[in-house]
């Protein structure tokens, strides 16, 4: 989980730690910008308007320190949920395509290694990649050549099958027809886990 303590003003941190006073929270836009800056890779810090940083939100009734602390925690969690990157571990592998033919699979061409039926979105991984992305993992695939990204972008694939034991660092994408599989061919892709 992301530590946002360094992004909060010291007065807010002190009030949260002691519970003695009602902390003055930054405006939601300022907090959201701080989270975006913390998550952005190598981004230059954007200037924060002073008027927004010191703005105090009016409240209808005075809140207790516990209520204020709970609200601050909820706001921080909501900001983190909105900006949370949903990507996990990533590897580069060789991708091919297969379809349900006995020549390309075992004696049960329509049944995966996990016992499910083959269908669009099912992939088979080599045994070494199954250690990184176990059965049931949800992954995205990006064609590093860029040629097939229009077919792969925005899709989530499910690891439900296994490739032959001799294959390493490979992924096989299930396709409905042999001609689709042949057209896809072999290529380098980036496999990324989706949390």
């Amino acid at each position: 989980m992301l530590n946002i303590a360094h992004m909060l003003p010291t007065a807010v941190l002190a009030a949260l730690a002691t519970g003695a006073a009602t902390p003055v929270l930054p405006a939601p836009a300022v907090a959201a910008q701080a989270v975006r800056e913390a998550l952005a890779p190598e981004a230059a810090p954007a200037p924060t308007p002073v008027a927004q940083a010191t703005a105090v939100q009016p409240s209808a009734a005075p809140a207790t320190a516990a209520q204020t602390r709970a609200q601050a925690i909820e706001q921080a969690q909501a900001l983190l949920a909105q900006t949370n990157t949903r990507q996990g571990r990533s590897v580069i592998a060789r991708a091919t395509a297969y379809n349900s033919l006995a020549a390309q699979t075992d004696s049960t061409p329509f049944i995966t290694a996990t016992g499910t039926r083959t269908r669009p979105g099912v992939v088979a991984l080599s045994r070494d990649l199954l250690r990184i992305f176990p059965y049931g993992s949800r992954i995205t695939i990006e064609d590093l050549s860029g040629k097939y990204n229009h077919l792969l972008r925005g899709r989530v694939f499910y690891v439900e099958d296994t490739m032959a034991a001799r294959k390493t660092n490979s992924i096989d994408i299930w396709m409905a027809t042999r001609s689709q599989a042949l057209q896809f061919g072999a290529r380098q892709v980036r496999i990324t886990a989706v949390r």
Side-chain angles (χ1 to χ4, degrees):
M1 180 174 252
L2 179 66
N3 182 3
I4 64 166
H6 67 280
M7 292 183 272
L8 296 174
T10 54
V12 173
L13 291 174
L16 287 175
T18 62
T22 302
V24 177
L25 296 175
V30 174
Q33 180 63 29
V35 171
R36 277 193 293 278
E37 288 172 5
L39 294 175
E42 306 280 330
T48 304
V50 176
Q52 285 184 353
T54 59
V56 176
Q57 302 216 350
S59 61
T64 66
Q67 290 172 336
T68 305
R69 193 171 32 252
Q71 288 173 349
I73 291 170
E74 287 176 14
Q75 287 177 350
Q77 288 174 341
L79 287 173
L80 288 174
Q82 290 172 358
T83 59
N84 185 17
T85 57
R86 306 273 303 161
Q87 302 298 315
R89 187 173 290 186
S90 181
V91 298
I92 295 176
R94 181 178 187 269
T96 54
Y98 75 108
N99 58 312
S100 297
L101 295 176
Q104 296 180 20
T105 61
D106 60 9
S107 60
T108 56
F110 291 97
I111 305 297
T112 66
T114 58
T116 61
R117 302 265 315 161
T118 55
R119 64 193 182 285
V122 168
V123 297
L125 293 181
S126 57
R127 285 162 171 74
D128 59 335
L129 290 181
L130 279 173
R131 291 186 204 110
I132 301 169
F133 307 103
Y135 291 128
S137 296
R138 296 180 322 142
I139 60 171
T140 59
I141 303 171
E142 175 191 359
D143 180 9
L144 295 180
S145 72
K147 184 175 180 183
Y148 281 92
N149 278 338
H150 66 283
L151 295 175
L152 304 173
R153 185 176 292 126
R155 289 188 64 191
V156 175
F157 295 86
Y158 297 90
V159 178
E160 294 183 1
D161 214 348
T162 307
M163 296 179 74
R166 69 181 183 279
K167 301 285 187 176
T168 59
N169 197 41
S170 299
I171 181 171
D172 231 356
I173 303 169
W174 186 85
M175 297 199 175
T177 65
R178 184 172 187 267
S179 63
Q180 287 175 328
L182 289 173
Q183 184 179 4
F184 183 81
R187 58 196 63 254
Q188 290 291 105
V189 296
R190 182 185 321 277
I191 305 168
T192 306
V194 177
R195 293 183 186 164

